[in-house]
Amino acid sequence: METVRIAPVTDQWLQHEARKFNRKKIEEYLQHSPRLAPATLQQYRSCLRIFAKWIHDYCGNKKIIDLKIRDGKAYQDWLLSHNGSTNNIKVKLAAASELCEYIEKYYEEEYPAFRNPIRKGREAMVQTPRKEKHPITPEEFELLIKTLEKRQDYQRLCYLVLTYQTACRRAESAQFERRIAKYSVEDMHYYQDAQGMNHNYFLSNSIRCKGAGKLGKVREFKISTDTMRYIRRWDKQRRELVNGLELGDDAANLFVHIDHSGVTDLTPAAFAYWFSDDFSKILGRNVHPHDLRTTRATDLVVRQHKPIEAVSVMMGHNSTETTKTFYVIDNHKDSDATLI
């Protein structure tokens, strides 16, 4: 069945059309949710605008505290009628439910009869099939490398190699700082594994990774000496481009946009564009930045027979179960430094 997308709701609509009580409670909840990561907070803001418009269109724009259990079920049914993925619907329900939970918990004296209608009206949903993952094959990865080398597109080449080697997410790739290109031998770290083999690597700047709260999970990614060569090659080309345009370059991050107006840090959206507009065309099939994580895990465990525990650390998973569920399976133990 074709998906009927729910149109986004603007802040202007919320300010002028939503009931004042509902708007105020949404704004208050969003302001007092420090445990939400910035990306989740932005997602919840969008979801709660949709919830407010649904109340406006289907519940007579009544106050949230006047919603009944049947309204909670009706909202879930409405979301289901748009044929979105189970996870997409769960996020929208979670945002509405946590807003109601906030009101129930902190306004108990003012509204003692109010009970979270989303939680009480919600019913179990059939999980939609998870999208099948298609890792980039070694031959495809080599094609990408050779194509970018031929173009001398060293920024995209650096991004591809660095992101693949560290298995970081696109939001994390955007946070690598330019200063890592200046690392010297004195900045190198050393690790000796149980077999007596030495592994050399550099540590990135501190990067905010996926996790709860504003700080999330902060990590320093291990960067191999081979990957560092690509970083330095891009940094050299960056200097040449900037000097050729007679620009200043105060951008702190490694990946940037350069034009006659100046140098600015790239956002994670740029990497998605590289994949859709460029990498997918090179390979002749659709690929996404997240496919690099799947590819890295698959290569390490399936092709190179590396231990799942070490791969799980590299992926930033809290347990090997996540790695097994979403990527690949093995059951040995080692330090992720052996993966460098």
Side-chain angles (χ1 to χ4, degrees), residues 36-259:
L36 295 179
T40 305
L41 188 64
Q42 183 177 356
Q43 191 176 33
Y44 271 31
R45 181 174 285 110
S46 174
C47 291
L48 290 176
R49 288 173 184 168
I50 290 171
F51 183 48
K53 191 170 191 310
W54 179 83
I55 295 173
H56 176 277
D57 293 349
Y58 296 94
C59 295
N61 207 22
K62 61 186 176 183
K63 293 181 180 180
I64 293 172
I65 55 171
D66 292 330
L67 293 175
K68 306 300 182 185
I69 294 175
R70 62 178 174 271
D71 295 319
K73 182 182 185 305
Y75 184 54
Q76 180 180 18
D77 291 342
W78 180 78
L79 292 173
L80 286 167
S81 71
H82 287 76
N83 307 315
S85 69
T86 305
N87 288 337
N88 187 286
I89 294 172
K90 282 182 177 179
V91 170
K92 289 180 172 60
L93 288 174
S97 182
E98 292 193 28
L99 167 65
C100 293
E101 205 73 29
Y102 173 85
I103 296 171
E104 181 181 336
K105 181 176 180 179
Y106 293 104
Y107 287 90
E108 183 181 12
E109 293 182 1
E110 291 89 336
Y111 317 118
F114 178 67
R115 294 293 179 268
N116 183 346
I118 304 297
R119 183 187 69 234
K120 289 185 169 295
R122 186 172 178 172
E123 295 183 345
M125 294 184 293
V126 176
Q127 182 74 35
T128 54
R130 187 175 296 278
K131 186 178 179 180
E132 187 178 354
K133 293 180 171 66
H134 297 284
I136 297 170
T137 67
E139 294 76 19
E140 288 177 323
F141 194 78
E142 185 64 24
L143 176 59
L144 289 172
I145 296 289
K146 287 182 176 179
T147 304
L148 296 174
E149 285 269 16
K150 186 175 181 179
R151 291 183 193 165
Q152 296 186 352
D153 191 342
Y154 295 142
Q155 173 161 224
R156 294 190 186 191
L157 183 58
C158 174
Y159 162 78
L160 189 69
V161 173
L162 177 60
T163 302
Y164 168 78
Q165 186 253 291
T166 58
C168 63
R169 300 172 177 87
R170 63 173 176 160
E172 296 158 3
S173 296
Q175 298 177 58
F176 282 109
E177 294 179 3
R178 187 185 187 184
R179 62 186 175 89
I180 65 179
K182 311 299 182 190
Y183 284 171
S184 65
V185 175
E186 287 73 25
D187 298 303
M188 193 176 290
H189 294 255
Y190 304 91
Y191 172 77
Q192 188 175 73
D193 62 25
Q195 287 72 42
M197 293 184 63
N198 293 319
H199 305 271
N200 306 330
Y201 60 91
F202 298 93
L203 281 178
S204 74
N205 54 286
S206 297
I207 290 178
R208 187 208 180 282
C209 301
K210 187 177 181 180
K214 292 183 178 180
L215 291 179
K217 182 192 295 182
V218 178
R219 296 179 60 195
E220 294 176 318
F221 287 89
K222 294 179 176 68
I223 302 172
S224 74
T225 53
D226 285 340
T227 299
M228 186 59 72
R229 295 190 187 99
Y230 288 92
I231 293 172
R232 289 173 179 152
R233 187 156 44 154
W234 156 234
D235 189 63
K236 179 183 177 183
Q237 186 181 57
R238 172 174 168 173
R239 289 197 307 271
E240 293 169 351
L241 291 170
V242 169
N243 291 338
L245 293 171
E246 298 181 345
L247 298 170
D249 186 354
D250 296 325
N253 290 343
L254 181 63
F255 301 114
V256 293
H257 175 74
I258 303 172
D259 59 23

Side-chain angles (χ1 to χ4, degrees), residues 241-297:
L241 291 170
V242 169
N243 291 338
L245 293 171
E246 298 181 345
L247 298 170
D249 186 354
D250 296 325
N253 290 343
L254 181 63
F255 301 114
V256 293
H257 175 74
I258 303 172
D259 59 23
H260 289 281
S261 63
V263 183
T264 54
D265 293 326
L266 285 181
T267 66
F271 307 134
Y273 176 76
W274 288 356
F275 270 81
S276 62
D277 184 68
D278 190 11
F279 298 168
S280 293
K281 292 178 181 177
I282 294 172
L283 299 182
R285 69 179 181 92
N286 291 330
V287 286
H288 184 272
H290 201 72
D291 291 333
L292 286 176
R293 281 172 61 79
T294 307
T295 300
R296 183 61 164 149

